[in-house]
Amino acid sequence: MNRQSHLEWCKKRAHEYLANGDIQNAVTSMLSDLSKHPETEGSSHGVFAQLGMMAIMSGDKREATRFIDGFN
């Protein structure tokens, strides 16, 4: 799977959690799935993980959506 296809797969899975109102699992799914591809694995830690935690703590679905959709 190429990088773009993998990224789309990550987003799709994360958005499935968001559709059910589960912000925590949406963000953690996104970060976990990013780590499963060699071209996106660096995006799953550091600043991105901190931003993901902020999205979880906000409890705001729009914030989580921006976080997830912000990866390109």
Coordinates of all heavy atoms in Angstrom, one line a residue:
M1 N 0.9 -1.2 0.0 CA 0.0 0.0 0.0 C 0.9 1.2 0.0 O 1.8 1.3 0.8 CB -0.9 0.0 1.2 CG -1.8 1.1 1.4 SD -2.9 1.1 2.8 CE -3.9 -0.3 2.6
N2 N 0.6 2.2 -0.9 CA 1.4 3.4 -0.9 C 1.0 4.3 0.2 O 0.0 4.1 0.9 CB 1.4 4.1 -2.3 CG 0.0 4.7 -2.6 OD1 -0.7 5.1 -1.7 ND2 -0.3 4.7 -3.9
R3 N 1.8 5.4 0.4 CA 1.6 6.3 1.5 C 0.2 6.9 1.5 O -0.5 7.0 2.6 CB 2.7 7.4 1.5 CG 2.6 8.4 2.6 CD 3.5 9.6 2.4 NE 3.5 10.5 3.5 CZ 2.5 11.3 3.8 NH1 1.5 11.4 3.0 NH2 2.6 12.1 4.8
Q4 N -0.2 7.4 0.4 CA -1.5 8.1 0.3 C -2.7 7.2 0.6 O -3.6 7.5 1.3 CB -1.7 8.7 -1.1 CG -2.9 9.6 -1.2 CD -2.9 10.8 -0.2 OE1 -1.9 11.4 0.1 NE2 -4.0 11.1 0.4
S5 N -2.6 5.9 0.1 CA -3.6 5.0 0.4 C -3.7 4.6 1.9 O -4.8 4.5 2.5 CB -3.4 3.7 -0.4 OG -3.5 3.9 -1.8
H6 N -2.5 4.5 2.4 CA -2.4 4.2 3.9 C -3.0 5.3 4.7 O -3.8 5.1 5.6 CB -1.0 3.9 4.3 CG -0.9 3.6 5.8 ND1 -1.3 2.4 6.3 CD2 -0.5 4.4 6.8 CE1 -1.1 2.5 7.6 NE2 -0.6 3.6 7.9
L7 N -2.7 6.6 4.3 CA -3.2 7.7 5.0 C -4.7 7.8 4.9 O -5.4 8.1 5.9 CB -2.6 9.0 4.5 CG -2.7 10.3 5.3 CD1 -2.3 10.1 6.7 CD2 -2.0 11.4 4.6
E8 N -5.3 7.5 3.8 CA -6.7 7.5 3.6 C -7.4 6.4 4.5 O -8.4 6.7 5.1 CB -7.1 7.3 2.2 CG -6.8 8.5 1.3 CD -6.9 8.3 -0.2 OE1 -7.5 7.2 -0.6 OE2 -6.4 9.1 -1.0
W9 N -6.7 5.3 4.6 CA -7.2 4.2 5.4 C -7.2 4.6 6.9 O -8.2 4.4 7.6 CB -6.3 2.9 5.2 CG -6.7 1.8 6.1 CD1 -7.7 0.9 6.0 CD2 -5.9 1.4 7.2 NE1 -7.6 0.0 7.0 CE2 -6.6 0.3 7.8 CE3 -4.8 1.9 7.9 CZ2 -6.1 -0.4 8.9 CZ3 -4.3 1.2 9.0 CH2 -5.0 0.1 9.5
C10 N -6.1 5.3 7.3 CA -6.0 5.7 8.7 C -7.2 6.7 9.0 O -7.8 6.6 10.1 CB -4.7 6.5 8.9 SG -3.2 5.5 8.8
K11 N -7.4 7.6 8.1 CA -8.5 8.6 8.3 C -9.8 8.0 8.4 O -10.7 8.3 9.2 CB -8.4 9.7 7.2 CG -7.2 10.6 7.4 CD -7.2 11.7 6.3 CE -6.0 12.6 6.4 NZ -6.1 13.6 5.4
K12 N -10.1 7.1 7.5 CA -11.4 6.4 7.4 C -11.7 5.7 8.7 O -12.8 5.8 9.3 CB -11.4 5.4 6.3 CG -12.7 4.6 6.1 CD -12.6 3.6 5.0 CE -13.9 2.8 4.8 NZ -14.1 1.9 5.9
R13 N -10.7 5.0 9.2 CA -10.9 4.3 10.5 C -11.1 5.2 11.7 O -12.0 5.0 12.5 CB -9.7 3.4 10.8 CG -9.7 2.1 10.0 CD -8.5 1.2 10.2 NE -7.9 1.2 11.5 CZ -8.3 0.4 12.6 NH1 -9.3 -0.4 12.4 NH2 -7.6 0.5 13.7
A14 N -10.4 6.3 11.7 CA -10.5 7.3 12.7 C -11.9 8.0 12.7 O -12.6 8.2 13.7 CB -9.4 8.3 12.7
H15 N -12.3 8.3 11.5 CA -13.7 8.9 11.3 C -14.8 8.0 11.7 O -15.9 8.5 12.1 CB -13.8 9.4 9.9 CG -13.2 10.7 9.6 ND1 -13.6 11.9 10.2 CD2 -12.1 11.1 8.9 CE1 -12.8 12.9 9.8 NE2 -11.9 12.4 9.0
E16 N -14.6 6.7 11.6 CA -15.6 5.7 12.0 C -15.8 5.9 13.5 O -17.0 5.8 14.0 CB -15.2 4.3 11.7 CG -15.3 4.0 10.2 CD -14.8 2.7 9.8 OE1 -14.3 1.9 10.6 OE2 -14.8 2.4 8.5
Y17 N -14.8 6.1 14.3 CA -14.9 6.3 15.7 C -15.6 7.6 16.0 O -16.4 7.7 16.9 CB -13.5 6.3 16.4 CG -12.9 4.9 16.6 CD1 -11.9 4.4 15.8 CD2 -13.5 4.0 17.6 CE1 -11.3 3.2 16.0 CE2 -12.9 2.8 17.8 CZ -11.9 2.3 17.0 OH -11.4 1.1 17.2
L18 N -15.2 8.6 15.3 CA -15.8 9.9 15.5 C -17.3 9.9 15.2 O -18.1 10.6 15.9 CB -15.2 11.0 14.5 CG -13.9 11.6 15.0 CD1 -13.4 12.7 14.1 CD2 -14.0 12.2 16.4
A19 N -17.7 9.2 14.2 CA -19.1 9.0 13.9 C -19.9 8.5 15.0 O -21.1 8.8 15.2 CB -19.3 8.2 12.6
N20 N -19.3 7.7 15.9 CA -19.9 7.2 17.1 C -19.6 8.1 18.3 O -20.0 7.6 19.4 CB -19.4 5.8 17.3 CG -19.9 4.8 16.3 OD1 -21.1 4.8 15.9 ND2 -19.0 4.0 15.8
G21 N -19.0 9.2 18.1 CA -18.8 10.1 19.2 C -17.6 9.8 20.1 O -17.4 10.3 21.2
D22 N -16.8 8.8 19.6 CA -15.7 8.3 20.4 C -14.4 9.1 20.0 O -13.6 8.6 19.2 CB -15.5 6.8 20.2 CG -14.5 6.2 21.2 OD1 -13.8 6.9 21.8 OD2 -14.5 5.0 21.2
I23 N -14.2 10.2 20.6 CA -13.0 11.1 20.2 C -11.7 10.4 20.6 O -10.7 10.4 19.9 CB -13.1 12.5 20.9 CG1 -14.3 13.2 20.3 CG2 -11.8 13.3 20.7 CD1 -14.7 14.5 21.0
Q24 N -11.7 9.8 21.8 CA -10.4 9.2 22.3 C -9.9 8.1 21.4 O -8.8 8.1 21.0 CB -10.6 8.7 23.7 CG -9.3 8.0 24.2 CD -9.4 7.6 25.7 OE1 -10.3 8.0 26.4 NE2 -8.4 6.9 26.1
N25 N -10.8 7.2 21.0 CA -10.4 6.1 20.1 C -10.1 6.6 18.7 O -9.3 6.0 18.0 CB -11.4 5.0 20.2 CG -11.2 4.1 21.4 OD1 -10.0 3.8 21.7 ND2 -12.2 3.6 22.0
A26 N -10.8 7.7 18.3 CA -10.6 8.2 16.9 C -9.1 8.7 16.9 O -8.4 8.4 15.9 CB -11.5 9.4 16.7
V27 N -8.7 9.5 17.8 CA -7.4 10.0 17.8 C -6.3 9.0 18.0 O -5.3 8.9 17.3 CB -7.2 11.2 18.9 CG1 -5.8 11.6 19.1 CG2 -8.1 12.3 18.5
T28 N -6.5 8.1 19.0 CA -5.5 7.0 19.2 C -5.5 6.1 18.1 O -4.4 5.6 17.7 CB -5.8 6.3 20.6 OG1 -7.1 5.7 20.6 CG2 -5.6 7.2 21.8
S29 N -6.6 5.8 17.4 CA -6.6 5.0 16.2 C -5.7 5.6 15.1 O -4.9 4.9 14.5 CB -8.0 4.7 15.7 OG -8.0 4.1 14.5
M30 N -5.9 6.9 14.9 CA -5.2 7.6 13.9 C -3.7 7.5 14.2 O -2.9 7.2 13.3 CB -5.6 9.1 13.8 CG -5.0 9.9 12.8 SD -5.6 9.3 11.2 CE -4.6 10.3 10.1
L31 N -3.3 7.8 15.4 CA -1.9 7.8 15.7 C -1.3 6.4 15.6 O -0.2 6.2 15.1 CB -1.6 8.3 17.1 CG -1.9 9.8 17.3 CD1 -1.9 10.2 18.8 CD2 -0.9 10.6 16.5
S32 N -2.1 5.4 16.1 CA -1.6 4.0 16.0 C -1.5 3.5 14.6 O -0.5 2.9 14.2 CB -2.6 3.1 16.8 OG -2.2 1.7 16.6
D33 N -2.5 3.9 13.8 CA -2.4 3.4 12.4 C -1.3 4.1 11.6 O -0.7 3.5 10.7 CB -3.8 3.7 11.7 CG -4.8 2.7 12.2 OD1 -4.5 1.7 12.8 OD2 -6.0 3.0 11.9
L34 N -1.0 5.4 11.9 CA 0.1 6.1 11.2 C 1.4 5.3 11.5 O 2.3 5.3 10.6 CB 0.2 7.5 11.7 CG -0.9 8.5 11.2 CD1 -0.8 9.8 12.0 CD2 -0.7 8.7 9.7
S35 N 1.6 4.8 12.6 CA 2.8 4.1 13.0 C 3.0 2.8 12.2 O 4.1 2.2 12.3 CB 2.9 3.8 14.5 OG 2.0 2.8 14.9
K36 N 2.0 2.3 11.5 CA 2.0 1.0 10.8 C 2.6 1.1 9.4 O 2.5 0.1 8.7 CB 0.6 0.4 10.8 CG 0.2 0.1 12.2 CD -1.3 -0.4 12.2 CE -1.7 -0.6 13.7 NZ -3.1 -0.9 13.8
H37 N 3.0 2.3 9.0 CA 3.5 2.4 7.6 C 4.9 3.1 7.7 O 5.0 4.2 8.4 CB 2.5 3.2 6.7 CG 2.9 3.2 5.3 ND1 3.8 4.0 4.7 CD2 2.3 2.4 4.2 CE1 3.9 3.7 3.4 NE2 3.0 2.8 3.1
P38 N 5.9 2.7 7.0 CA 7.2 3.3 7.1 C 7.2 4.8 6.7 O 8.1 5.5 7.2 CB 8.1 2.5 6.2 CG 7.2 1.6 5.3 CD 5.9 1.5 6.0
E39 N 6.3 5.2 5.8 CA 6.4 6.6 5.4 C 5.5 7.5 6.2 O 5.6 8.7 6.0 CB 5.9 6.7 3.9 CG 6.9 6.0 2.9 CD 6.4 6.2 1.5 OE1 6.4 7.3 1.0 OE2 6.1 5.1 0.9
T40 N 4.8 7.0 7.2 CA 4.0 7.8 8.1 C 4.3 7.6 9.6 O 3.8 8.3 10.4 CB 2.5 7.6 7.9 OG1 2.1 6.2 8.1 CG2 2.0 8.0 6.5
E41 N 5.1 6.6 9.9 CA 5.4 6.3 11.2 C 5.9 7.4 12.1 O 5.6 7.5 13.3 CB 6.2 5.0 11.4 CG 7.7 5.2 10.9 CD 8.4 3.9 10.9 OE1 8.0 3.0 11.6 OE2 9.5 3.9 10.3
G42 N 6.7 8.3 11.6 CA 7.2 9.4 12.3 C 6.1 10.4 12.8 O 6.3 11.2 13.7
S43 N 5.0 10.3 12.1 CA 3.9 11.2 12.4 C 3.1 10.8 13.7 O 2.1 11.5 14.1 CB 2.9 11.3 11.2 OG 3.6 11.8 10.1
S44 N 3.4 9.7 14.2 CA 2.6 9.1 15.3 C 3.2 9.5 16.7 O 2.6 9.2 17.7 CB 2.5 7.6 15.2 OG 3.8 7.0 15.3
H45 N 4.3 10.2 16.8 CA 4.8 10.6 18.1 C 5.3 12.1 18.1 O 5.1 12.8 17.1 CB 6.0 9.7 18.5 CG 6.7 8.9 17.5 ND1 6.1 8.1 16.6 CD2 8.0 8.7 17.3 CE1 7.0 7.5 15.9 NE2 8.1 7.8 16.2
G46 N 5.8 12.4 19.2 CA 6.3 13.8 19.3 C 5.2 14.8 19.4 O 4.2 14.6 20.1
V47 N 5.3 15.9 18.6 CA 4.4 17.0 18.6 C 3.0 16.5 18.2 O 2.0 16.9 18.7 CB 4.9 18.1 17.7 CG1 3.8 19.2 17.5 CG2 6.1 18.7 18.2
F48 N 2.9 15.6 17.2 CA 1.6 15.1 16.7 C 0.9 14.4 17.8 O -0.3 14.5 18.0 CB 1.8 14.2 15.5 CG 2.3 14.9 14.3 CD1 3.6 14.7 13.8 CD2 1.6 15.9 13.7 CE1 4.1 15.4 12.8 CE2 2.1 16.6 12.6 CZ 3.3 16.4 12.1
A49 N 1.6 13.6 18.6 CA 1.0 12.9 19.7 C 0.4 13.9 20.8 O -0.7 13.7 21.3 CB 1.9 11.9 20.4
Q50 N 1.2 14.9 21.0 CA 0.8 16.0 21.9 C -0.5 16.7 21.4 O -1.4 16.9 22.2 CB 1.9 17.0 22.2 CG 3.0 16.4 23.0 CD 4.2 17.4 23.1 OE1 4.3 18.4 22.4 NE2 5.1 17.1 24.0
L51 N -0.5 17.0 20.1 CA -1.7 17.6 19.5 C -2.9 16.7 19.6 O -4.0 17.1 19.9 CB -1.4 18.0 18.1 CG -0.4 19.1 17.9 CD1 -0.1 19.3 16.4 CD2 -0.9 20.4 18.5
G52 N -2.7 15.4 19.4 CA -3.7 14.4 19.6 C -4.3 14.4 21.0 O -5.5 14.3 21.2
M53 N -3.4 14.4 21.9 CA -3.9 14.5 23.3 C -4.7 15.7 23.6 O -5.7 15.6 24.4 CB -2.7 14.4 24.3 CG -2.0 13.0 24.3 SD -3.1 11.7 24.7 CE -3.6 12.1 26.4
M54 N -4.3 16.8 23.1 CA -5.0 18.1 23.3 C -6.4 17.9 22.6 O -7.4 18.4 23.2 CB -4.3 19.2 22.7 CG -3.0 19.6 23.4 SD -2.0 20.8 22.7 CE -3.1 22.2 22.5
A55 N -6.5 17.3 21.5 CA -7.8 17.1 20.9 C -8.7 16.2 21.7 O -9.9 16.4 21.9 CB -7.6 16.5 19.5
I56 N -8.1 15.2 22.3 CA -8.9 14.3 23.2 C -9.3 15.1 24.4 O -10.5 15.0 24.8 CB -8.0 13.1 23.6 CG1 -7.8 12.1 22.5 CG2 -8.7 12.3 24.8 CD1 -6.7 11.0 22.7
M57 N -8.4 15.8 25.0 CA -8.8 16.5 26.2 C -9.8 17.6 26.0 O -10.6 17.9 26.9 CB -7.5 17.1 26.9 CG -6.6 16.0 27.4 SD -5.0 16.6 28.0 CE -5.6 17.6 29.4
S58 N -9.8 18.1 24.8 CA -10.8 19.2 24.5 C -12.2 18.6 24.5 O -13.2 19.4 24.8 CB -10.5 19.8 23.1 OG -10.9 19.0 22.1
G59 N -12.4 17.4 24.2 CA -13.7 16.8 24.1 C -14.5 17.3 22.9 O -15.7 17.1 22.8
D60 N -13.9 18.0 22.0 CA -14.6 18.7 20.9 C -14.4 17.9 19.6 O -13.3 17.7 19.1 CB -14.0 20.1 20.7 CG -14.7 20.9 19.7 OD1 -15.4 20.4 18.8 OD2 -14.5 22.1 19.7
K61 N -15.5 17.4 19.1 CA -15.5 16.5 17.9 C -14.8 17.3 16.7 O -14.1 16.7 15.9 CB -16.9 16.1 17.6 CG -16.9 15.0 16.5 CD -18.4 14.5 16.3 CE -18.5 13.6 15.2 NZ -19.9 13.1 15.0
R62 N -15.1 18.6 16.6 CA -14.5 19.4 15.5 C -13.0 19.5 15.6 O -12.3 19.4 14.6 CB -15.1 20.8 15.5 CG -16.6 20.8 15.1 CD -17.2 22.2 15.3 NE -17.1 22.5 16.7 CZ -17.4 23.6 17.3 NH1 -17.7 24.6 16.5 NH2 -17.3 23.8 18.6
E63 N -12.5 19.6 16.8 CA -11.1 19.6 17.1 C -10.4 18.3 16.7 O -9.4 18.3 16.0 CB -10.8 19.9 18.6 CG -9.3 20.1 18.9 CD -8.8 21.4 18.4 OE1 -9.5 22.4 18.2 OE2 -7.5 21.4 18.2
A64 N -11.1 17.2 17.0 CA -10.6 15.9 16.6 C -10.6 15.7 15.1 O -9.7 15.2 14.5 CB -11.4 14.8 17.3
T65 N -11.7 16.2 14.5 CA -11.8 16.1 13.0 C -10.6 16.9 12.4 O -10.0 16.4 11.4 CB -13.1 16.7 12.6 OG1 -14.2 15.9 13.1 CG2 -13.2 16.6 11.1
R66 N -10.4 18.1 12.9 CA -9.3 18.9 12.3 C -7.9 18.2 12.5 O -7.1 18.2 11.6 CB -9.2 20.3 13.0 CG -10.2 21.3 12.4 CD -9.9 22.7 12.9 NE -10.1 22.9 14.3 CZ -11.3 23.1 14.9 NH1 -12.4 23.3 14.2 NH2 -11.4 23.3 16.2
F67 N -7.8 17.6 13.7 CA -6.5 16.8 13.9 C -6.4 15.7 12.9 O -5.3 15.6 12.2 CB -6.5 16.3 15.3 CG -5.4 15.3 15.6 CD1 -4.1 15.8 15.8 CD2 -5.5 14.0 15.6 CE1 -3.0 15.0 16.1 CE2 -4.5 13.1 15.8 CZ -3.2 13.6 16.1
I68 N -7.4 14.9 12.7 CA -7.3 13.8 11.8 C -7.1 14.2 10.4 O -6.3 13.7 9.6 CB -8.6 12.9 12.0 CG1 -8.6 12.2 13.4 CG2 -8.7 11.9 10.8 CD1 -9.9 11.7 13.8
D69 N -7.9 15.2 10.0 CA -7.9 15.6 8.6 C -6.7 16.5 8.3 O -6.3 16.7 7.1 CB -9.1 16.4 8.2 CG -10.4 15.5 8.2 OD1 -10.2 14.3 8.0 OD2 -11.5 16.1 8.3
G70 N -5.9 16.9 9.3 CA -4.7 17.7 9.1 C -3.6 16.9 8.5 O -2.6 17.6 8.1
F71 N -3.6 15.6 8.6 CA -2.5 14.8 8.0 C -2.7 14.8 6.5 O -3.7 14.5 6.0 CB -2.5 13.4 8.6 CG -2.1 13.4 10.0 CD1 -3.0 13.5 11.1 CD2 -0.7 13.3 10.4 CE1 -2.6 13.5 12.4 CE2 -0.3 13.3 11.7 CZ -1.3 13.4 12.7
N72 N -1.6 15.0 5.8 CA -1.6 14.9 4.4 C -0.3 14.4 3.8 O 0.6 14.2 4.4 CB -2.0 16.2 3.7 CG -1.1 17.4 4.1 OD1 0.1 17.2 4.3 ND2 -1.6 18.5 4.3

